[in-house]
């Protein structure tokens, strides 16, 4: 099991931050087998597909190169011009091949670890030139894996080559009885598709190497428990700092809650231990909503703010406790409390009408029924 410099075992999977930092440093999983397989297979396949047209085009260029007028033969600049033109023709003819090889090299390189450019990875390091570290890399477990992969490639490709030659021996021997043009065409097909089949064997090696590279990359980035704790402290800060942040967040939430108290229709109290602020708008709400709630000191602050805003305060200990314990802030009250709250709000609305229009003073209902499951002592 991997250990760090302090001898601690690296038993923990790398965190997201560790993986991101490694990518910034250019440490991403790469598979040389996938890259070489893709470049070789795409390159060979492209050449085979293009072979007929490419051969015809090259033969035409050769013919044109040797068709010269008398004036061109005695012109010293003709050969230079002809050479330049033929060079450009060859480049244009081979452009699709080069394009496919470049695309294969790019996409196979970024297939595992994504596109990553790191200045730190490009910076020369003298430690990489150390002979001792080089010897350690050669005789390390990774060096052994690379040697086994090279041996597997040699055996696999060599075995497939011998098998293909054996199976195609009769076809090769039959070429001597054909016309030259037909023999060359058949030979081109035999060699081309044989090379494609031989190159395809590299797919098996790449399929084995890709999972290994992903596993080895994660293994190298594994962390000790102490490293995880240090990273957590660095990311989230010290415990006392986090505690202070949570305290500030609670204070901000409480200030926002207090700003909602003047908007309430009624404050239901315990009378001293609990206080809840309710609002109900029949046009926009399907049930009364809890705007603020608090216990002890917070409850006292709610009552003081409500008194300043002239929001009615109603003492109903059981209902106040039921709403406090069973309703989240800024949520609608549960259905089991609809009846009790409806009777209380009816009293509040009657009280408003009395204060504005006069008439008979409403009586506070004293028999608000609270379901047993909502009762709290």
């Amino acid at each position: 099991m991997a250990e760090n410099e302090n001898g601690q075992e690296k038993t923990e999977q790398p965190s997201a931050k560790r993986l991101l930092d490694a990518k910034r440093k250019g440490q991403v999983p790469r598979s040389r087998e996938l890259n070489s397989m893709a470049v070789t297979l795409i390159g060979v396949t492209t050449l085979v597909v293009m072979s007929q047209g490419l051969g015809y085009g090259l033969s035409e260029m050769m013919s044109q190169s040797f068709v010269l007028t008398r004036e061109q033969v005695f012109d010293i600049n003709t050969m230079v011009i002809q050479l330049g033109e033929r060079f450009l023709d060859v480049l244009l003819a081979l452009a699709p091949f080069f394009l496919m090889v470049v695309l294969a090299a790019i996409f196979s390189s970024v297939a595992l670890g994504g596109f990553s450019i790191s200045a730190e990875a490009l910076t020369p390091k003298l430690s990489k030139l150390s002979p001792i570290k080089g010897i350690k890399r050669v005789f390390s477990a990774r060096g052994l894996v690379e040697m086994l992969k090279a041996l597997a490639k040699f055996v696999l490709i060599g075995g497939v080559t011998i098998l293909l030659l054996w199976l195609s021996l009769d076809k090769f021997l039959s070429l001597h009885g054909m016309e030259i043009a037909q023999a060359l065409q058949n030979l081109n097909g035999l060699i081309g598709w044989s090379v494609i089949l031989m190159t395809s064997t590299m797919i098996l090696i790449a399929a084995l190497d890709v999972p290994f590279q992903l596993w080895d990359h994660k293994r190298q980035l594994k962390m000790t428990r102490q490293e995880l704790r240090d990273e957590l402290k660095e990311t989230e800060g010290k415990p006392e700092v986090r505690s202070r942040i949570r305290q500030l967040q609670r204070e901000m939430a409480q200030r926002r809650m207090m700003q909602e108290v003047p908007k309430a229709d009624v404050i239901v109290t315990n009378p001293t231990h609990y206080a809840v602020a309710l609002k109900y708008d029949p046009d926009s709400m399907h049930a009364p909503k809890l705007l603020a709630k608090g216990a002890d000191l917070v409850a006292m602050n709610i009552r003081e703010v409500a008194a300043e805003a002239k929001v009615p305060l109603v003492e109903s200990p059981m209902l106040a406790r039921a709403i406090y314990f069973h309703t989240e802030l800024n949520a609608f009250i549960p259905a089991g409390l609809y009846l009790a709250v409806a009777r209380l709000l009816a009293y509040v609305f009657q009280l408003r009408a009395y204060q504005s229009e006069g008439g008979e003073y409403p009586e506070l209902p004293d028999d608000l029924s609270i379901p047993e499951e909502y009762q709290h002592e």
Side-chain angles (χ1 to χ4, degrees):
M1 194 170 292
E3 296 183 353
N4 68 350
E5 296 177 354
N6 298 326
Q8 296 179 343
E9 292 183 349
K10 295 185 176 182
T11 57
E12 309 301 320
Q13 292 297 325
S15 63
K17 182 178 182 299
R18 179 74 166 242
L19 293 172
L20 182 60
D21 290 343
K23 187 172 184 179
R24 289 172 178 169
K25 295 177 182 178
Q27 299 176 8
V28 291
R30 293 282 188 252
S31 174
R32 286 183 293 179
E33 305 305 329
L34 177 64
N35 186 261
S36 60
M37 179 274 295
V39 171
T40 307
L41 185 59
I42 295 296
V44 169
T45 304
T46 304
L47 279 179
V48 171
V49 173
M50 294 174 52
S51 59
Q52 187 173 358
L54 185 61
Y56 177 78
L58 291 176
S59 64
E60 286 293 318
M61 281 187 280
M62 291 293 292
S63 300
Q64 294 175 9
S65 298
F66 290 102
V67 177
L68 302 173
T69 63
R70 179 179 178 82
E71 290 77 11
Q72 291 175 329
V73 170
F74 290 99
D75 187 355
I76 59 176
N77 296 320
T78 298
M79 294 304 298
V80 177
I81 296 173
Q82 288 284 340
L83 180 62
E85 291 178 351
R86 298 295 81 80
F87 180 74
L88 290 176
D89 291 339
V90 171
L91 282 181
L92 290 175
L94 292 176
F97 166 74
F98 290 132
L99 177 63
M100 294 300 296
V101 170
V102 170
L103 291 177
I106 294 174
F107 284 107
S108 61
S109 296
V110 303
L112 294 187
F115 190 76
S116 175
I117 298 178
S118 172
E120 184 173 345
L122 298 175
T123 304
K125 294 182 179 179
L126 296 177
S127 59
K128 294 182 179 180
L129 302 178
S130 172
I132 298 177
K133 291 187 177 180
I135 293 174
K136 287 182 179 179
R137 285 194 296 268
V138 171
F139 292 98
S140 63
R142 189 178 185 85
L144 177 62
V145 171
E146 294 297 328
M147 184 186 71
L148 292 176
K149 285 194 299 183
L151 181 61
K153 283 193 292 185
F154 174 77
V155 173
L156 185 60
I157 297 176
V160 171
T161 302
I162 293 173
L163 180 62
L164 285 174
L165 289 176
W166 176 260
L167 295 175
S168 305
L169 184 60
D170 293 340
K171 295 180 180 179
F172 279 105
L173 293 177
S174 65
L175 294 176
H176 75 282
M178 301 179 183
E179 296 291 336
I180 294 179
Q182 184 181 3
L184 289 175
Q185 185 177 3
N186 290 345
L187 180 63
N188 177 57
L190 282 173
I191 294 177
W193 292 109
S194 297
V195 172
I196 290 178
L197 290 174
M198 287 187 291
T199 308
S200 299
T201 58
M202 298 176 66
I203 296 176
L204 178 60
I205 300 174
L208 296 175
D209 185 60
V210 168
F212 170 77
Q213 296 298 336
L214 293 172
W215 170 84
D216 188 57
H217 178 68
K218 289 285 186 71
R219 181 189 63 82
Q220 293 180 13
L221 295 178
K222 275 190 172 182
M223 308 170 68
T224 64
R225 292 185 178 180
Q226 183 60 43
E227 288 175 335
L228 275 177
R229 286 193 289 267
D230 293 342
E231 183 182 285
L232 184 64
K233 289 181 180 179
E234 180 183 349
T235 304
E236 299 185 1
K238 297 180 179 180
E240 55 269 22
V241 176
R242 295 201 303 271
S243 176
R244 177 59 178 165
I245 291 175
R246 286 195 294 267
Q247 181 183 352
L248 292 174
Q249 290 173 340
R250 285 194 298 269
E251 292 176 357
M252 291 175 62
Q254 185 173 329
R255 283 196 295 269
R256 287 195 298 269
M257 184 180 71
M258 290 300 175
Q259 293 173 357
E260 297 295 316
V261 171
K263 303 176 184 178
D265 291 319
V266 62
I267 307 298
V268 187
T269 65
N270 191 35
T272 57
H273 293 298
Y274 300 101
V276 295
L278 298 177
K279 181 175 181 59
Y280 178 60
D281 183 355
D283 296 329
S284 61
M285 298 180 184
H286 70 275
K289 187 176 184 180
L290 179 64
L291 298 184
K293 68 176 181 177
D296 300 327
L297 182 60
V298 178
M300 184 182 70
N301 292 336
I302 292 176
R303 293 195 302 271
E304 290 177 354
V305 174
E308 292 178 1
K310 297 182 179 180
V311 178
L313 276 75
V314 178
E315 292 186 10
S316 181
M318 291 185 65
L319 181 59
R321 289 195 297 268
I323 296 174
Y324 180 87
F325 286 107
H326 293 281
T327 309
E328 297 294 332
L329 199 62
N330 294 319
F332 297 106
I333 64 171
L337 298 177
Y338 280 0
L339 180 59
V341 173
R343 296 189 63 188
L344 181 67
L345 288 174
Y347 164 74
V348 172
F349 295 151
Q350 291 172 6
L351 183 62
R352 285 182 183 174
Y354 169 77
Q355 292 173 347
S356 61
E357 300 174 4
E360 186 178 353
Y361 188 86
E363 294 184 4
L364 175 66
D366 55 359
D367 56 344
L368 298 177
S369 57
I370 308 298
E372 186 176 352
E373 62 269 22
Y374 293 103
Q375 295 180 11
H376 278 268
E377 296 297 332

